[in-house]
Amino acid sequence: MDRLHITSVKGINFGRFTNRTLTLGDAPFVVVHGPNESGKSTVSELIAWLLAGRYGLKTVTQRYASLQGDLRGSLNGTLGTEPFSIERSFKVSQVAKGADPKEDAPSIRVGAASVELERWHTLLGVTTGEEYALRYRITDSDPELDLSQLLEA
C-alpha cells in the first residue's frame, strides 16, 4: 500500500463535529490530543467512517446522529504522490434515530480520476470499518491543549 497522508478532515454533519474542519498539515506524524470531550474520538470515528465505511453498533450511530439528516463528511490528503479526496454520506432515518444508516456510494478521487469503492478498498488495504478500527487508532490526551482551538468553524 502507498503511504496515506490525511491533510484535512471536515465534518459536514457528524455529531458535534459539524461544519468544522481540522487541518492536519504536511508533517509526517500528527498527534491529535485534548481534554476529555474535546472531540478526539469524534474526529477519529469520522476519519474511520470516511476511509472505510460505517462500523459499530447502533449506539455508535446514535452518538453522531442528529435531527439535521444524513451523517456526512469529507477528507483530503495524498496517497503515495497523488492527491485524494473522499466524501461520504450515511442516511439515518428520522423515525429510527440510531438505526443502521444506509450508506450512499462515496465520492472518491485519486489524482484526476474517480475511483470505485472496491478499488479504494484495495488501495487502502482494508475493506470494512471494523478492519480499519482493528488496524488504526487515535489515543491519549494532553490537558494543556483543547482540540477546539485547532478547529475552524
Side-chain angles (χ1 to χ4, degrees):
M1 177 178 101
D2 287 332
R3 181 177 179 270
L4 176 77
H5 180 85
I6 299 169
T7 56
S8 69
V9 59
K10 180 177 184 178
I12 298 166
N13 186 27
F14 199 80
R16 293 183 357 201
F17 192 73
T18 294
N19 296 322
R20 293 185 173 200
T21 299
L22 177 62
T23 302
L24 301 173
D26 295 328
F29 185 80
V30 176
V31 176
V32 177
H33 59 96
N36 291 343
E37 299 300 318
S38 63
K40 302 176 305 290
S41 294
T42 302
V43 169
S44 176
E45 289 290 330
L46 179 57
I47 291 170
W49 284 38
L50 290 170
L51 289 175
R54 190 200 80 80
Y55 71 97
L57 304 172
K58 291 179 183 178
T59 55
V60 172
T61 302
Q62 186 174 15
R63 178 177 178 185
Y64 303 111
S66 73
L67 298 177
Q68 299 172 4
D70 301 349
L71 300 174
R72 292 181 51 216
S74 64
L75 60 83
N76 296 293
T78 56
L79 183 61
T81 60
E82 294 287 329
F84 82 89
S85 66
I86 184 167
E87 183 170 333
R88 279 188 131 136
S89 177
F90 304 87
K91 298 203 180 295
V92 179
S93 168
Q94 295 296 331
V95 176
K97 183 176 176 184
D100 287 337
K102 295 188 179 3
E103 185 176 336
D104 290 343
S107 170
I108 306 169
R109 298 196 69 76
V110 176
S114 181
V115 175
E116 296 293 325
L117 185 58
E118 187 173 307
R119 174 74 178 133
W120 177 250
H121 286 163
T122 301
L123 293 170
L124 189 60
V126 296
T127 59
T128 66
E130 286 85 359
E131 287 180 11
Y132 178 89
L134 289 173
R135 219 177 264 196
Y136 304 101
R137 205 170 116 174
I138 298 176
T139 61
D140 212 354
S141 67
D142 179 346
E144 297 297 315
L145 178 67
D146 183 351
L147 180 61
S148 64
Q149 295 171 350
L150 303 175
L151 301 177
E152 299 171 5

